[in-house]
Amino acid sequence: MSVDPNTPVLRNCIRLPLPEEELLEVTAKAKDYAIMHGAAMRSKTSFSPDSLNFAPFVLVPSSFPRKEFEKAVALQPIINRLMHNVAHDEEFITTTLAETIKVDEFTANLFNIYRKVLAHGYTQAYSIGLLRSDYLGHVYEGCAIKQVEINTVASSFGGIATHLVQLQNFVLRELGHADKLPNMPKNNALAGLCDGMVKAWDIYAKPQSVILFIIEDVSYNICDQRFHEFYIRETYPHIKVLRRTLTDVHREGKLGLNKELLLGGKLEVAVIYFRAGYEPGHYHSQDEWDARYLMETSLAIKCPSIQYHLAGTKKVQQALAQPAVLERFINDPEEMKAVGKIFTGLYSLDDNDAGNATYEMALRTPEKFVLKPQREGGGNNVYGVDIPEALKRMSRVERSAWILMDLIHPPLTKGYMVRPGAEMPPTIVDMVSELGIFGVVIGDADHIIHNYQAGHMLRTKLSTANEGGVAAGLGALDSPYLIDSDDDDEDEN
Ligand code: ADP
Ligand code: MG
């Protein structure tokens, strides 16, 4: 992606560049610190279950406007409630996804489970959402945050993000900038998310029951997942965490007399935390879909339950961005205004007049947009000038599997990105950061009993990359260094 040369650059946390010797020394230390504190992942290129690489990270924390950070934090409980209400609005979910499921097989499969669950009635009234709302600052509106997407399934990096603050604290101290630490907000994502799972376990109220993590066949982001598991066992020694793939659950899972989910005929599952199951590749055959359905009809509390999963689709996000629709879910006019402001333009590509108008607009000015399918996990979107060709390949009906969104133009930061196997020392690059705010919400259709914000994460990518997935290898983990717009900092550069 080309970057407008006039894009503002945020003031750095410390003066760069660092002298080469100092840079080499602190980078080598930081890499070891990362591995030793679990800011790490399994290698995709030379995978071994016995070893780790450090996860790509940004050496010095990237700047983020304090006001916007605080706004995102304050909004999270409102967004939690919004998503909870959306998930429990059967009519809205059904009509919003009606066109999409005609052409998107994966969403249709999820929807099919939803339909069957509705037909039989929910076995478990409670759901737990561990959400992450992602934002980019938008330079054309004074760097105001705009929501990129909301994740309701497998919202990752709460574990590593919590430890990354310590890593960057260490780096700043090493560089003689301990005075900067107060501008790095504390991050309790791991505790907040895991405590949420345990609150759900408490609701289930069976002392011998376990928490089940649904995992991929191979977990590259193993540390992030293990942080959750180990935190639960260390903080709540009486609770066991099990890890199983969808295929395992198909083989081992059964429902008991009261529809309890039983593994291996005896272990009862209280809470199911999905770290897999959000993309088609996780379902190798009908077996995995059957396992998902089995879990969905069980008494276990699902994170997310199927209605939450569907509420997190891009299509639902697009529908919510229309003020008339948002009104249906948020009563308070002030809250409505605040949430409305974080949405950027999102447009339907359904097979109707509005969808056709979107199509024409995308062909006229593709550089203003990003085209998104109903997928998670990065690498699925189509950007700018590539959009017309992609759209023209689709039939009118096929387009309804996608939505169109205004491109957000984030400010730049400058810094060092450190990645495994890359040349040393790192060089200064232009970067942009995406802020993720975690939220926990637990309730049934009528009541919310827990609703709180739970920490944050920052993911930073090269300004020239369209996407910055860390697992996908394009982004790096980071934490925000909060700056005030009226600061007159001597380290400005
Ligand atoms: P996924 O579910 O694959 O994570 P996202 O909607 O988060 O899908 O898009 C992936 C990435 O693409 C984001 O992390 C961001 O870097 C970039 N992106 C998505 N939407 C926009 C947008 N409207 N403007 C600019 N960049 C975007
Ligand atoms: Mg995303």
Side-chain angles (χ1 to χ4, degrees), residues 220-360:
Y220 294 100
N221 197 6
I222 188 71
C223 296
D224 190 57
Q225 295 181 13
R226 289 288 193 206
F227 273 132
H228 291 74
E229 175 175 352
F230 297 163
Y231 173 92
I232 291 172
R233 193 53 141 173
E234 282 162 14
T235 316
Y236 307 94
H238 52 291
I239 304 179
K240 190 180 179 73
V241 169
L242 295 177
R243 292 166 58 83
R244 296 286 188 275
T245 62
L246 289 165
T247 317
D248 294 334
V249 172
H250 177 254
R251 207 173 35 235
E252 283 184 47
K254 294 267 170 329
L255 295 192
L257 287 177
N258 299 311
K259 297 206 178 174
E260 320 87 300
L261 177 64
L262 303 173
L263 289 182
K266 49 183 193 301
L267 279 171
E268 181 169 348
V269 177
V271 178
I272 308 172
Y273 173 49
F274 286 92
R275 288 296 293 247
Y278 56 82
E279 64 172 46
H282 296 157
Y283 298 82
H284 310 303
S285 67
Q286 186 57 36
D287 289 355
E288 288 73 21
W289 285 110
D290 291 348
R292 180 80 192 258
Y293 179 63
L294 181 84
M295 290 187 275
E296 212 53 53
T297 52
S298 80
L299 194 62
I301 301 178
K302 275 76 67 180
C303 175
S305 51
I306 193 74
Q307 68 271 26
Y308 256 83
H309 190 159
L310 291 171
T313 52
K314 308 277 193 292
K315 183 67 198 169
V316 167
Q317 185 193 0
Q318 177 261 308
L320 281 178
Q322 301 161 264
V325 175
L326 196 58
E327 233 173 46
R328 177 173 175 145
F329 299 105
I330 301 184
N331 298 327
D332 183 296
E334 288 303 312
E335 288 185 358
M336 218 196 72
K337 215 166 107 197
V339 173
K341 274 194 190 149
I342 62 167
F343 292 149
T344 185
L346 283 137
Y347 313 92
S348 159
L349 279 161
D350 284 356
D351 184 11
N352 54 30
D353 288 350
N356 290 334
T358 304
Y359 173 75
E360 297 297 333

Side-chain angles (χ1 to χ4, degrees), residues 149 314 372 376 378 381 383 405-406 408 434 461 467:
E149 66 157 342
K314 308 277 193 292
K372 297 187 180 186
E376 302 295 328
N381 301 340
Y383 293 84
M405 181 175 186
D406 285 345
I408 307 164
E434 182 172 335
K461 64 177 184 183
E467 297 194 14

Side-chain angles (χ1 to χ4, degrees), residues 120-182:
H120 296 105
Y122 292 113
T123 311
Q124 174 56 260
Y126 284 97
S127 295
I128 167 168
L130 300 183
L131 314 180
R132 201 187 69 216
S133 183
D134 290 339
Y135 303 96
L136 290 168
H138 188 46
V139 294
Y140 300 133
E141 290 182 29
C143 293
I145 46 164
K146 294 285 166 189
Q147 187 180 55
V148 173
E149 66 157 342
I150 173 101
N151 299 285
T152 59
V153 58
S155 312
S156 59
F157 288 115
I160 298 186
T162 300
H163 292 79
L164 210 79
V165 179
Q166 315 308 329
L167 165 71
Q168 290 179 322
N169 278 355
F170 169 78
V171 169
L172 285 177
R173 278 208 184 86
E174 285 293 300
L175 294 172
H177 289 286
D179 58 306
K180 304 283 183 189
L181 303 187

